[in-house]
């Protein structure tokens, strides 16, 4: 299964100023697989160590003598470790806080060794007082498969080639084909184990069983790793997300969790889920101007799940509503379509915001910034009314409004309509 992150790993390998690599990502998005695959193809050998399964691992980081550490890692992995030609992989590194600290010393004293680390809850480990090697590591983020990666897994190379040609008008002739593929992606999502099973068997019931198993694994992670004082709150936040996204206004509302709930009571629980990579937090901005970061509002946000398919499983959406009927697109208040677009933007490495005015109908589903600011409206169907986009544009004609919808590609003098299936490729072309 090809992953687009492979090119980023190659770029890291070939950098003249390469540092130890941290591969970030939620549990079961394929971090271990891609590192092993990359190592087997690009290096003479791979020294792989699962820190969670190697009881001696804690003892070897008693100090940070890199020469001694290399010898120890070679013994534990059973592989000779040589500069430049061996990829060292330390998996589940979050269980060894001193292992994270050691990356600083590999960067400073042994840059000739290629070292990559990953972990299911690495984001949690980084926020628990470890000596994180600031400025001494390279970082790459891995997400569930994007729609393009899903097409690659299905072997749709010709379709991908045509998408990459950017002949947007011509592709409109194949709307029915793309819509069918998008339906499949809405249901399957991008978790590698789920995609693999779907490719091999095309069994939608097996897909849902695997998604439910992943959700059960996440729940066990909560019980095992979440501090006891916030565990009930983590479960409440997690369980509320499908309902929060099914609202017309998808702003996260604390009172949905329980009557009288306040931000201070749940902020640690939300941050735990964000750090674990299981939810995406999209902040509101107070102004639609560059730079968007200046206008972040940390107390107002939307929360999305890590994966579109898991959202369907948590919501118990019937496969017929996604794969046969049109309900996934036109019902659920656009929840699945916004989740889809958000995932596509995250896979492109975009910092995503949204904008709204309290007690007003003006709302922009998303905002991203390249050189320009792009206000984004997401439509789950072919409705072409874009009052919010027009209002925002009239207040600042330097903005580049875009609407992602089920309608055909269309350029207007002030905005562009892009079919949902072209969302990521169009954003890339606009950079």
């Amino acid at each position: 299964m090809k992953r687009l992150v492979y090119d980023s790993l190659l770029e890291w390998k070939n950098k003249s100023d390469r540092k130890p690599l941290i591969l970030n990502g939620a549990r079961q998005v394929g971090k271990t697989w891609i590192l092993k695959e990359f190592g087997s193809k690009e290096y003479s050998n791979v020294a792989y160590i699962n820190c969670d399964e190697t009881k001696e691992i804690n003892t070897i980081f008693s100090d940070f003598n890199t020469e001694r550490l290399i010898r120890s890692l070679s013994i534990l992995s059973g592989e000779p470790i040589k500069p430049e030609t061996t990829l060292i992989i330390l998996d589940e590194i979050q269980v060894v806080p001193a292992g994270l600290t050691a990356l600083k010393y590999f960067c400073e004293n042994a840059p000739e060794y290629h070292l990559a680390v990953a972990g299911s809850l690495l984001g949690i480990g980084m926020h628990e007082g470890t000596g994180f090697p600031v400025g001494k590591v390279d970082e790459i983020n891995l997400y569930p498969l994007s729609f393009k990666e899903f097409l690659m897994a299905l072997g749709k190379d010709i379709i991908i080639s045509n998408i990459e040609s950017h002949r947007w008008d011509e592709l409109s002739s194949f709307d029915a084909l793309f819509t069918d593929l998008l339906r499949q992606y809405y249901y399957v999502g991008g978790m590698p184990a789920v995609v693999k099973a779907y490719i091999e068997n095309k069994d939608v019931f097996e897909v849902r069983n695997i998604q439910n198993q992943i959700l059960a694994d996440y729940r066990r992670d909560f019980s095992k790793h979440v501090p006891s004082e916030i565990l009930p709150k983590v479960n409440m936040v997690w369980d509320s997300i499908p309902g929060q996204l099914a609202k017309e206004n998808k702003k996260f509302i604390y009172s949905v969790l329980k009557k009288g709930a306040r931000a201070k009571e749940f902020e640690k629980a939300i941050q735990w889920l964000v750090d674990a990579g299981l939810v995406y937090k999209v902040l509101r901005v107070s102004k639609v101007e560059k730079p968007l970061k200046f206008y972040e509002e940390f107390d107002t946000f939307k929360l999305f799940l890590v994966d579109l398919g898991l959202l369907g499983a948590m919501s118990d959406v019937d496969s017929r509503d996604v794969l046969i009927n049109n309900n996934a697109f036109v019902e659920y208040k656009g929840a699945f379509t916004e989740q889809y677009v958000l995932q596509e933007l995250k896979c492109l490495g975009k910092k995503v915001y949204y904008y709204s005015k309290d007690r007003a109908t003006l709302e922009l589903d998303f905002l991203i910034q390249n050189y320009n600011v792009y206000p984004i409206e997401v439509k789950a169907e072919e409705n072409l009314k874009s009052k919010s986009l027009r209002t925002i544009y009239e207040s600042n004609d330097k903005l580049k409004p875009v609407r992602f919808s089920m309608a055909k590609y269309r350029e207007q003098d002030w905005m562009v309509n892009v079919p949902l299936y072209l969302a990521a490729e169009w954003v890339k072309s606009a950079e």
Side-chain angles (χ1 to χ4, degrees):
M1 187 181 297
K2 186 176 180 182
R3 300 299 306 269
L4 295 175
V5 75
Y6 197 98
D7 291 338
S8 298
L9 292 173
L10 266 179
E11 183 180 338
W12 168 76
K13 177 181 185 289
N14 295 322
K15 285 171 62 175
S16 59
D17 58 346
R18 183 194 59 258
K19 303 170 185 175
L21 174 68
I22 293 178
L23 184 62
N24 296 305
R27 181 176 177 178
Q28 299 193 47
V29 296
K31 299 183 299 296
T32 301
W33 181 86
I34 192 62
L35 285 177
K36 286 184 173 180
E37 179 78 358
F38 175 65
S40 68
K41 290 185 175 179
E42 306 297 337
Y43 291 84
S44 298
N45 67 317
V46 176
Y48 174 82
I49 298 172
N50 185 319
C51 298
D52 200 27
E53 298 175 354
T54 307
K55 61 182 180 180
E56 303 91 346
I57 195 69
N58 277 294
T59 62
I60 75 166
F61 290 106
S62 56
D63 63 55
F64 301 113
N65 182 307
T66 52
E67 186 177 339
R68 182 190 60 77
L69 285 172
I70 289 295
R71 288 197 301 270
S72 299
L73 294 173
S74 180
I75 292 169
L76 291 178
S77 66
E79 290 284 339
I81 297 178
K82 298 180 180 179
E84 309 296 346
T85 63
T86 300
L87 177 63
I88 307 166
I89 302 174
L90 299 182
D91 207 355
E92 303 298 347
I93 189 66
Q94 77 280 353
V95 304
V96 192
L100 279 172
T101 305
L103 300 183
K104 170 186 175 181
Y105 299 92
F106 277 101
C107 175
E108 294 175 346
N109 304 327
E112 67 274 19
Y113 290 98
H114 293 222
L115 174 60
V117 306
S120 298
L121 298 171
L122 186 51
I124 302 300
M126 290 181 185
H127 290 81
E128 291 185 343
T130 63
F132 184 74
V134 178
K136 303 296 182 179
V137 294
D138 293 319
E139 295 189 64
I140 295 176
N141 295 318
L142 182 63
Y143 300 99
L145 276 75
S146 65
F147 181 52
K148 184 175 183 177
E149 289 176 310
F150 180 70
L151 295 179
M152 290 162 54
L154 290 175
K156 304 296 183 181
D157 296 341
I158 295 177
I159 289 175
I160 293 169
S161 177
N162 277 277
I163 290 175
E164 291 175 341
S165 73
H166 297 176
R167 293 190 288 270
W168 314 120
D169 292 323
E170 292 181 20
L171 293 173
S172 296
S173 303
F174 302 97
D175 271 354
L177 170 63
F178 283 117
T179 300
D180 178 62
L181 291 168
L182 196 57
R183 286 180 195 273
Q184 295 177 55
Y185 181 65
Y186 269 39
Y187 186 77
V188 176
M191 300 304 284
V194 181
V195 175
K196 183 175 183 292
Y198 181 70
I199 292 168
E200 292 175 350
N201 304 314
K202 294 295 192 295
D203 184 340
V204 297
F205 302 105
E206 183 184 10
V207 162
R208 184 50 52 85
N209 286 338
I210 297 173
Q211 289 168 338
N212 285 331
Q213 183 59 58
I214 292 172
L215 291 171
D217 290 343
Y218 285 168
R219 188 78 69 177
R220 279 190 287 273
D221 279 346
F222 297 169
S223 298
K224 182 178 179 181
H225 298 288
V226 175
S228 58
E229 65 271 16
I230 66 167
L231 177 58
K233 298 180 178 66
V234 167
N235 283 315
M236 291 169 70
V237 172
W238 177 254
D239 290 336
S240 80
I241 293 177
Q244 299 269 7
L245 292 177
K247 298 188 281 78
E248 191 73 45
N249 178 359
K250 294 171 177 54
K251 169 188 170 183
F252 189 86
I253 304 296
Y254 290 97
S255 60
V256 170
L257 304 176
K258 69 174 186 177
K259 186 176 180 180
R262 295 289 183 265
K264 188 174 182 180
E265 184 181 0
F266 286 91
E267 60 187 5
K268 288 184 179 179
I270 292 172
Q271 192 60 49
W272 192 96
L273 288 166
V274 171
D275 291 343
L278 297 180
V279 301
Y280 305 130
K281 190 176 187 180
V282 177
L283 298 178
R284 187 170 71 176
V285 290
S286 58
K287 289 185 179 181
V288 185
E289 294 180 12
K290 289 197 306 183
L292 291 173
K293 189 169 180 61
F294 279 9
Y295 305 107
E296 292 176 339
E297 296 183 330
F298 291 97
D299 58 347
T300 308
F301 53 88
K302 303 178 185 179
L303 285 185
F304 293 85
L305 287 181
V306 64
D307 176 65
L308 181 63
L310 296 183
L311 175 61
M314 283 184 72
S315 307
D316 199 23
V317 173
D318 194 290
S319 58
R320 289 169 294 186
D321 285 344
V322 183
L323 297 169
I324 299 175
N325 303 322
N326 206 33
N327 294 359
F329 294 106
V330 302
E331 295 184 0
Y332 312 112
K333 306 295 184 185
F336 290 95
T337 305
E338 279 198 40
Q339 171 76 39
Y340 160 74
V341 171
L342 187 276
Q343 278 186 233
E344 294 289 274
L345 295 174
K346 293 292 288 184
C347 286
L348 292 174
K350 299 299 180 185
K351 177 68 175 177
V352 186
Y353 300 95
Y354 85 102
Y355 174 78
S356 68
K357 283 189 175 180
D358 290 331
R359 300 185 180 89
T361 58
L362 180 61
E363 177 168 348
L364 299 173
D365 297 313
F366 298 119
L367 289 157
I368 59 172
Q369 179 181 322
N370 295 331
Y371 174 74
N372 297 299
V373 172
Y374 291 83
I376 296 172
E377 187 172 69
V378 176
K379 293 288 188 181
E381 39 189 330
E382 295 188 22
N383 185 335
L384 298 185
K385 294 180 181 179
S386 299
K387 293 181 181 178
S388 294
L389 278 184
R390 170 66 83 171
T391 300
I392 287 295
Y393 177 75
E394 288 175 350
S395 68
N396 181 359
D397 62 7
K398 292 183 174 62
L399 300 172
K400 303 292 183 181
V402 57
R403 177 180 56 218
F404 296 125
S405 76
M406 293 304 296
K408 297 180 184 298
Y409 183 83
R410 178 184 173 192
E411 292 185 17
Q412 298 176 234
D413 57 347
W414 64 279
M415 66 153 289
V416 58
N417 183 84
V418 179
L420 285 166
Y421 54 80
L422 295 177
E425 194 65 28
W426 186 88
V427 171
K428 279 181 63 179
S429 74
E431 291 180 343

